[in-house]
Amino acid sequence: MPPPSSDHPLSVSVHAAGLTYAGVPLFAGLDFTLPGGQWTCLLGPSGVGKTSLLKLIAGLLEPWAESRVMGGDGRPLTARAGYMAQQDLLMPWLTVLDNVLIGVRLRGEDARAAAPRARELLAQVGLADRAGDRPASLSGGQRQRVALARTLMEDRPVVLMDEPFSALDAITRHRLQALAARLLRGRTVLLVTHDPLEALRLGHRVHVMAGRPATLDQPLEPAGAPPRDVRAPDLLALQAELIQRLAGAEEMAA
Amino acid sequence: MRVLRPLVIFAGLLLLWQAVAAAFDLPRFILPQPWEVAQAGWANAGLLAHHARFTVAEILMGLALGTTLGCLTALTMAYFRPARRWLLPVLVTSQAIPVFALAPMLVLWLGFGMASKVAMAMLIIYFPVTAAFFDGLRRTEPGWLDLAHSMGASRRATLIRIRIPAALPALTSGLRVATAVAPIGAVVGEWVGASAGLGYLMLHANARTQQPLMFAALLTLAVIAVALYFAMDAALRRALPWQAETDPTTDRA
């Protein structure tokens, strides 16, 4: 089942974004574009404002009045961006299937009609046989796969992900990156991460965010289509460069 | 061991009681011996059962009413911000008044029947239930609220599908406290003025120097309170199977 929204990838433009958090201006007059149908990865030192920028795009934080977040079609992004956080945010009182269906229920839509699609998405993330279980019985990787299925259930053209794999062990993370790259193909993705290799593996573009108020550098654009082979020499060379940029960003913060 | 331990504790307390009564050679009207109390209980089983029925009914009705009212107050405060500003100070002030001091007034207004005791039990559990549930409703995981917002959920849907279920563990701890204190409310009400109930029977027996009967009534009350607590605990565990194990006796810390 190809996601209907992938036929017309929606780009996102952030214009003159400004945000004050706890009295500190995190960024001001920031311009930022997410190319349609591509993965944009955002790296940077802790506390630089990566998550705040993502939440601003998701409409979860109130930015300065002049800030604009628009879809490529010139309309606001409202209700067209899905959100996936570092914690899986599964609800312990719901079964795996009901967790995938939570958005449908929250909007008061017909959950029974949506259940077959939810089961299919669970099958796609390899958890078809766990639909009736509670999240507490799943491993960290399995829980994050349910969260991925829940995100896919929302079927939004734009997906905003805030370090969704960072709490997982290396091998589980590697598998989940490949799965997410496959299942989210064709959607416009913003991935906030602190792992340079993850960014280079998955991103069409990789930005480093630095300074206060924070700015974005010219993005790195690794060759080839993600998910890339992490053993490729040019990828490792890029990783070295990226780590250098990040070290520079840390110094700016210090 | 789970079943055995309460029995061992009970036997130990009984032994201690017997030892104290024997060692100090206390007269019957100060501290009757366990076998005298058992005898009085056996001889007056029908009488005890009759009065216990009233007390149990008062406790259960007080619990039902207090829980309902407490939950409604907590929900109102969580959902309507202006209500929070007006209700919270009232709630805190109401706790400054010792509920026991209200007992004579309640009997005066509601009479010697069950109504004044139900009101007493209700008042005493209203605050713990309200405070626990409201606290739970306020402390919803912020990530869940972000998620709901990004999914286009209304405030009402978020309350019903996320905030209320997420607050249920907090509510259950309020309910456990309520179950433990509700009998106090009922008995205090009965002491102030009543024509039935175990509290009434205790006063009545004491006045007529039937101390063994008074102790039997007290024992009956204790058994009822403990049984009620365990029944509530079991019911709450069944109702929220997803809740983490919270048995304090199995804590590792």
Side-chain angles (χ1 to χ4, degrees):
Chain A
M1 179 176 53
S5 48
S6 66
D7 305 336
H8 308 284
L10 182 75
S11 67
V12 177
S13 65
V14 180
H15 181 64
L19 187 82
T20 306
Y21 185 77
V24 181
L26 285 179
F27 39 85
L30 189 79
D31 292 324
F32 184 39
T33 309
L34 304 178
Q38 298 199 351
W39 284 60
T40 304
C41 296
L42 199 53
L43 289 149
S46 306
V48 77
K50 304 185 295 289
T51 294
S52 298
L53 181 57
L54 180 137
K55 285 193 168 180
L56 183 154
I57 297 171
L60 297 172
L61 285 177
E62 194 63 42
W64 296 354
E66 67 269 26
S67 309
R68 291 281 171 276
V69 178
M70 291 292 201
D73 53 5
R75 292 193 294 129
L77 204 56
T78 320
R80 292 193 288 173
Y83 171 63
M84 200 171 158
Q86 179 179 350
Q87 319 110 283
D88 48 69
L89 297 178
L90 298 183
M91 295 167 201
W93 57 89
L94 296 178
T95 62
V96 165
L97 181 68
D98 286 331
N99 264 292
V100 176
L101 286 166
I102 184 73
V104 173
R105 292 227 167 80
L106 280 169
R107 287 185 296 275
E109 295 163 9
D110 186 354
R112 195 173 295 176
R117 199 173 107 75
R119 285 185 186 280
E120 202 179 311
L121 289 170
L122 277 175
Q124 284 186 28
V125 300
L127 290 170
D129 53 333
R130 306 301 297 269
D133 294 350
R134 287 229 162 72
S137 66
L138 303 183
S139 70
Q142 289 172 328
R143 292 172 65 104
Q144 205 53 280
R145 278 193 274 158
V146 177
L148 183 61
R150 182 186 59 198
T151 309
L152 290 165
M153 188 72 205
E154 294 300 293
D155 195 21
R156 306 288 177 90
V158 178
V159 175
L160 307 168
M161 299 202 284
D162 191 2
E163 303 193 16
F165 314 124
S166 62
L168 306 172
D169 66 82
I171 302 303
T172 309
R173 187 190 314 168
H174 193 80
R175 287 204 189 113
L176 214 61
Q177 285 167 351
L179 184 70
R182 184 158 59 80
L183 294 178
L184 291 171
R185 188 163 291 148
R187 293 175 207 270
T188 307
V189 176
L190 173 63
L191 174 70
V192 165
T193 176
H194 58 229
D195 177 355
L197 198 58
E198 176 172 286
L200 290 170
R201 187 170 183 228
L202 295 175
H204 294 88
R205 287 183 174 192
V206 179
H207 285 276
V208 173
M209 194 173 178
R212 174 145 303 160
T215 52
L216 293 169
D217 64 353
Q218 278 302 311
L220 285 175
E221 299 190 22
R228 300 184 186 87
D229 186 352
V230 287
R231 290 164 306 180
D234 54 334
L235 204 69
L236 294 175
L238 272 179
Q239 189 189 9
E241 186 187 332
L242 198 51
I243 288 173
Q244 222 151 35
R245 284 200 197 186
L246 278 169
E250 293 277 6
E251 272 162 36
M252 277 172 74
Chain B
M1 204 61 206
R2 259 186 88 95
V3 188
L4 207 61
R5 190 175 288 124
L7 291 177
V8 171
I9 294 173
F10 182 71
L13 288 174
L14 214 62
L15 221 65
L16 185 72
W17 175 3
Q18 177 72 58
V20 169
F24 297 99
D25 197 19
L26 293 169
R28 237 184 73 172
F29 60 88
I30 297 293
L31 184 67
Q33 301 208 356
W35 66 268
E36 286 176 313
V37 173
Q39 249 177 359
W42 184 250
N44 296 290
L47 186 70
L48 284 166
H50 169 78
H51 286 282
R53 276 219 316 275
F54 285 91
T55 306
V56 169
E58 287 157 8
I59 294 171
L60 291 181
M61 277 195 271
L63 263 176
L65 278 173
T67 304
T68 310
L69 216 68
C71 288
L72 286 177
T73 311
L75 281 172
T76 310
M77 288 198 300
Y79 195 64
F80 303 106
R81 269 187 218 99
R84 190 177 319 165
R85 278 191 287 272
W86 288 100
L87 278 177
L88 205 57
V90 175
L91 200 67
V92 174
T93 315
S94 79
Q95 275 313 288
I97 307 166
V99 182
F100 301 133
L102 293 177
M105 256 83 86
L106 289 177
V107 174
L108 178 70
W109 294 333
L110 300 173
F112 283 84
M114 276 169 69
S116 53
K117 288 80 195 168
V118 172
M120 192 69 199
M122 185 191 87
L123 276 180
I124 205 170
I125 73 157
Y126 173 69
F127 187 74
V129 170
T130 309
F133 195 31
F134 179 57
D135 213 42
L137 287 168
R138 266 175 39 196
R139 283 167 201 254
T140 314
E141 154 74 47
W144 284 338
L145 298 179
D146 281 349
L147 188 72
H149 188 268
S150 80
M151 287 172 162
S154 66
R155 260 191 96 207
R156 221 191 91 193
T158 307
L159 180 75
I160 292 170
R161 300 241 172 233
I162 297 180
R163 292 178 68 194
I164 292 180
L168 289 182
L171 174 62
T172 60
S173 53
L175 281 178
R176 285 194 178 90
V177 174
T179 314
V181 299
I184 304 175
V187 170
V188 167
E190 286 171 2
W191 281 346
V192 173
S195 48
L198 289 170
Y200 162 79
L201 184 62
M202 283 176 74
L203 287 189
H204 192 74
N206 195 24
R208 298 208 277 168
T209 61
Q210 297 174 324
Q211 274 74 22
L213 178 60
M214 182 174 96
F215 275 77
L218 177 64
L219 224 62
T220 311
L221 188 67
V223 168
I224 289 171
V226 170
L228 199 66
Y229 184 84
F230 281 109
M232 178 64 96
D233 192 58
L236 293 175
R237 268 168 214 276
R238 272 185 81 104
L240 305 181
W242 46 271
Q243 199 192 350
E245 188 63 47
T246 51
D247 185 353
T249 55
T250 57
D251 277 356
R252 277 149 207 262

